[in-house]
């Protein structure tokens, strides 16, 4: 049996057969796990496929500090949580638009721009470490103060500030490229 460190090393070096083997051995169980969180099979598959796509794309920087299996399940979990949070924001905005009762062309244009922005935000959140993304969402989407976030996550306010700084730098970097 091959050790996780060997598998990771081979994938980092671009071993396609090792990557395919990992994909085949984990795909079904990761989709089933994602489906328990997301409750939609197609979305669960998209999340897992995107995870493997990004894993291959960023393979040279792959750093697994726990078991490979644990890393994959944690990554799927994080992506599912980000997806759910994104859907909440989109739903909230759609509800606000519905209640506003306006169907002008400007509103339709605003909706398109908003949807593009939401896609970008979701993409950036997926790139962030789980804790950083969670802290950003709690601050920006749930309107919590840093002290409230620190209390809920059992971390220091400095940790919250540091993670928000990381998140905001990543947002600025990506948005400046567009």
């Amino acid at each position: 049996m091959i050790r996780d460190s060997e598998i990771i090393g081979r994938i980092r070096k671009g071993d396609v057969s090792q990557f395919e083997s990992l994909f085949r051995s984990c795909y079904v169980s990761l989709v089933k796990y994602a489906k328990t969180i997301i409750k939609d099979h197609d979305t669960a598959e998209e999340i897992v496929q995107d995870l493997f796509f990004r894993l291959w794309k960023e393979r040279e920087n792959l750093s697994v500090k726990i078991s490979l299996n644990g890393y994959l399940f944690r990554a799927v979990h994080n992506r599912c949580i980000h997806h759910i949070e994104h859907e909440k924001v989109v739903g909230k905005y759609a509800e606000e638009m519905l209640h506003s009762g306006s169907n002008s062309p400007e509103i339709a244009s605003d909706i398109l721009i908003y949807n593009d922005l939401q896609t970008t935000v979701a993409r950036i959140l997926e790139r962030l470490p789980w804790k950083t993304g969670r802290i950003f969402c709690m601050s920006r989407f749930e309107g919590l103060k840093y002290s409230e976030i620190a209390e809920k996550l059992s971390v220091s306010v400095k940790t919250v500030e540091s993670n928000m700084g990381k998140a905001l730098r990543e947002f600025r970097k990506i948005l400046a490229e567009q």
Side-chain angles (χ1 to χ4, degrees):
M1 182 168 204
I2 301 175
R3 293 187 330 218
D4 286 354
S5 58
E6 237 179 286
I7 293 169
I8 294 164
R10 288 179 181 178
I11 291 172
R12 272 194 200 132
K13 291 178 183 174
D15 186 334
V16 175
S17 64
Q18 184 65 66
F19 181 76
E20 288 175 350
S21 176
L22 177 66
F23 179 84
R24 283 192 304 276
S25 67
C26 297
Y27 181 78
V28 172
S29 58
L30 289 172
V31 169
K32 285 180 181 177
Y33 177 64
K35 191 175 174 188
T36 64
I37 300 169
I38 296 294
K39 310 293 188 229
D40 177 63
H41 185 78
D42 292 338
T43 304
E45 280 190 328
E46 284 179 30
I47 287 170
V48 174
Q49 289 169 2
D50 185 62
L51 168 65
F52 276 100
F53 170 75
R54 290 186 188 275
L55 189 71
W56 180 253
K57 188 176 171 189
E58 299 168 9
R59 66 187 173 276
E60 292 160 355
N61 301 321
L62 181 60
S63 175
V64 177
K65 295 181 178 36
I66 54 175
S67 74
L68 185 53
N69 204 33
Y71 172 85
L72 293 172
F73 276 90
R74 174 50 69 186
V76 167
H77 176 83
N78 293 345
R79 289 168 182 274
C80 289
I81 299 302
H82 285 303
H83 175 79
I84 290 167
E85 289 172 351
H86 171 72
E87 289 299 311
K88 284 180 186 175
V89 171
V90 170
K92 182 179 175 184
Y93 182 77
E95 189 175 310
E96 287 174 8
M97 295 306 294
L98 184 64
H99 290 340
S100 73
S102 179
N103 291 325
S104 70
E106 293 84 20
I107 297 297
S109 172
D110 288 349
I111 290 172
L112 290 175
I113 292 168
Y114 180 79
N115 287 340
D116 286 345
L117 183 59
Q118 284 301 2
T119 301
T120 302
V121 168
R123 210 175 64 243
I124 295 169
L125 284 173
E126 286 177 357
R127 292 176 59 163
L128 295 174
W130 182 82
K131 187 192 311 188
T132 303
R134 181 72 187 121
I135 288 171
F136 180 85
C137 290
M138 291 173 84
S139 172
R140 294 302 195 256
F141 301 145
E142 297 174 27
L144 298 177
K145 296 177 184 171
Y146 286 5
S147 58
E148 294 170 320
I149 296 168
E151 186 179 321
K152 282 188 174 208
L153 297 179
S154 300
V155 297
S156 70
V157 173
K158 278 286 189 202
T159 299
V160 173
E161 291 172 354
S162 171
N163 279 279
M164 279 299 293
K166 287 179 199 173
L168 293 172
R169 279 190 298 279
E170 188 67 19
F171 272 91
R172 281 188 210 106
K173 182 178 113 187
I174 300 295
L175 293 172
E177 293 170 0
Q178 293 186 344

